[in-house]
Amino acid sequence: MSEERKEQDEQRESRLSDAYHRMLNEVTEDLEKLEDKTSKAITEALENARDRVQQASDLTREEAHEVMDYLRRDLQDLGAYLDNRSSDWRGWLQIDLGLIEASIKNALERIADRTRVEITELTARAQVMGEWHTGEITGPGELLCKQCGHPVHMTKVGRIPPCSNCHNTTFRRGPGGTEAE
């Protein structure tokens, strides 16, 4: 890969990761203001956050939509985790909380504590995604390779790398995740 192409890829990843952070914060703030937290309202909050972040950044419409889909997938998985377990949202991450950026930790804490039922409703009505792929952006947490089971520990928002063990490109959430094998 040429140095120029590598630099372009790194810049794009940085833009998308930054957009993920900003959308998560926008959605969190919107959800705290809502009294009606139906799945329709949550979907609208995601779409509004997408539009605001896209307008305030150098993202294309397609990139903004892509980041919104990544954030929706992660929130759906968090909601399903909370719905299926008695433990709190910290178990979903499967990594040391000290390794997580404070802003992501704060946003997840606010969303999980205030919108547990609402995210569960969104999850139940949404298409089940259940797979994470190399190259996608995701928030912190543990992903397991669907081929060999090797963990990938995401300590911050970023692009999912191939499995370091077998180079597979498809993952599921770690032991705390929602997908059953």
Side-chain angles (χ1 to χ4, degrees):
M1 178 182 289
S2 74
E3 285 299 315
E4 184 177 327
R5 177 67 179 163
K6 185 176 179 183
E7 186 175 320
Q8 289 172 345
D9 287 347
E10 289 172 357
Q11 289 173 350
R12 183 172 190 274
E13 178 180 348
S14 178
R15 279 195 340 269
L16 296 182
S17 295
D18 181 55
Y20 184 104
H21 276 276
R22 291 165 59 189
M23 274 189 214
L24 177 59
N25 288 327
E26 293 276 341
V27 168
T28 301
E29 289 174 13
D30 286 353
L31 291 178
E32 288 181 331
K33 295 174 191 171
L34 290 177
E35 292 194 25
D36 171 28
K37 295 182 183 170
T38 63
S39 61
K40 181 179 178 188
I42 293 170
T43 296
E44 286 176 11
L46 280 163
E47 291 170 352
N48 291 336
R50 175 202 59 208
D51 294 343
R52 287 191 306 263
V53 168
Q54 192 230 332
Q55 290 172 0
S57 66
D58 60 350
L59 292 179
T60 65
R61 182 83 176 151
E62 293 77 26
E63 288 173 329
H65 189 77
E66 180 181 1
V67 172
M68 182 190 73
D69 286 343
Y70 295 152
L71 180 56
R72 180 191 325 259
R73 176 205 54 208
D74 289 349
L75 292 176
Q76 288 170 345
D77 192 68
L78 172 59
Y81 173 82
L82 293 172
D83 191 43
N84 293 328
R85 303 202 173 48
S86 60
S87 57
D88 71 16
W89 67 274
R90 292 163 187 87
W92 177 75
L93 289 170
Q94 294 294 314
I95 59 174
D96 180 2
L97 287 176
L99 299 175
I100 300 174
E101 298 169 55
S103 63
I104 293 290
K105 180 180 171 187
N106 184 32
L108 288 173
E109 196 164 64
R110 288 165 49 203
I111 284 177
D113 290 346
R114 295 183 52 92
T115 63
R116 181 178 183 153
V117 172
E118 296 82 6
I119 291 175
T120 299
E121 181 180 336
L122 175 65
T123 301
R125 294 182 56 155
Q127 174 183 351
V128 177
M129 292 177 152
E131 281 191 351
W132 284 252
H133 300 274
T134 294
E136 294 177 347
I137 302 293
T138 192
E142 181 182 71
L143 299 174
L144 296 177
C145 175
K146 289 188 88 173
Q147 184 168 311
C148 73
H150 188 75
V152 172
H153 299 280
M154 302 292 295
T155 58
K156 61 182 183 177
V157 173
R159 187 167 304 283
I160 302 168
C163 176
S164 61
N165 187 51
C166 71
H167 307 289
N168 185 41
T169 60
T170 307
F171 301 87
R172 65 178 179 87
R173 264 296 163 189
T178 60
E179 184 173 304
E181 291 289 332

